[in-house]
Every structure is written in C-alpha cells, then in structure tokens.
Amino acid sequence: DRDITREAENFVAGQGDGLLHVFVPHATAGLAIIETGAGSDDDLLTALDDILPTDDRWRHRHGSRGHGRDHVLPAFVPPYATVPVLDGRLALGTWQSICLVDTNGDNPTRKVRFSFLPG
C-alpha cells in the first residue's frame, strides 16, 4: 500500500469547503482510509492475503500465480473514496490516511484521480 494523503492535501489546498473524491482507474487497485505507521496497514495486507490467497483457485489466470485475486480485491477495498474538505483541508480523523492498496505486482504503475466538488 502507499499513503497518498499528502498528494490529496496538496490537491485541496485553498479550495474551501466541499468533497474530495479519489478514484483509482485500475481493475486491481483500491483505496482505504486507514491508520498507517502503527501496523494497521500491514494488518490490512495480511488480512487480504488471508481472505484472498495467492494460489491457483482463481478462474482469472493471466499474469503471475494467483493474479486472479488481484481482480477480486476491489470488491473488498473499493477503487474510490470521498473525504470532506473544510476550508481547504481534509477533514480526516487524527490517525486516518488515504492509502492506495494494490496487490498486483505485475503492474507497478498506477494513476489516481482527484476531483473536488465545492460545497
């Protein structure tokens, strides 16, 4: 996973009140609002490995072994998140960060789209 909170903060800086919508246009990636740095991010990846193991059970078989699970991941970690923005600042909780979650090692390049809806 990768913390993209700073990029989101930069995008909304000076925007006033509204909503930040974050979207990942990839079939194997999602976004999680989660605490980072204290182990929760690693716990999420461990839980995903438990729920979606990297083995040969998947019908979707192109790519590396177990790649089918990468295509199921967005059903558990959605490819979007919406965060309130107050006076140009993300209204996240004290320990919350916006993280890109992607278990697909076959494609290391990802794009993230930020949209701001003034409110």
Side-chain angles (χ1 to χ4, degrees):
D1 64 342
R2 180 172 180 279
D3 188 339
I4 60 169
T5 308
R6 188 166 315 273
E7 291 91 337
E9 289 171 337
N10 291 338
F11 183 80
V12 300
Q15 295 282 356
D17 293 349
L19 295 172
L20 170 68
H21 186 74
V22 187
F23 180 72
V24 183
H26 300 284
T28 63
L31 293 161
I33 296 178
I34 190 169
E35 177 183 16
T36 59
S40 297
D41 41 349
D42 291 331
D43 289 341
L44 173 62
L45 295 176
T46 299
L48 289 172
D49 284 341
D50 289 345
I51 296 168
L52 305 170
T54 306
D55 59 20
D56 291 329
R57 73 182 68 201
W58 308 102
R59 291 184 182 137
H60 184 100
R61 294 198 180 265
H62 79 268
S64 61
R65 182 175 188 261
H67 176 65
R69 71 100 178 231
D70 300 327
H71 287 271
V72 176
L73 177 126
F76 291 86
V77 182
Y80 57 86
T82 302
V83 179
V85 177
L86 300 174
D87 196 26
R89 300 183 69 196
L90 298 175
L92 291 168
T94 302
W95 304 112
Q96 290 180 317
S97 295
I98 305 168
C99 293
L100 172 66
V101 179
D102 189 358
T103 56
N104 179 6
D106 291 345
N107 187 351
T109 303
R110 292 290 174 240
K111 293 180 182 177
V112 177
R113 294 186 180 143
F114 295 121
S115 302
F116 183 75
L117 178 64

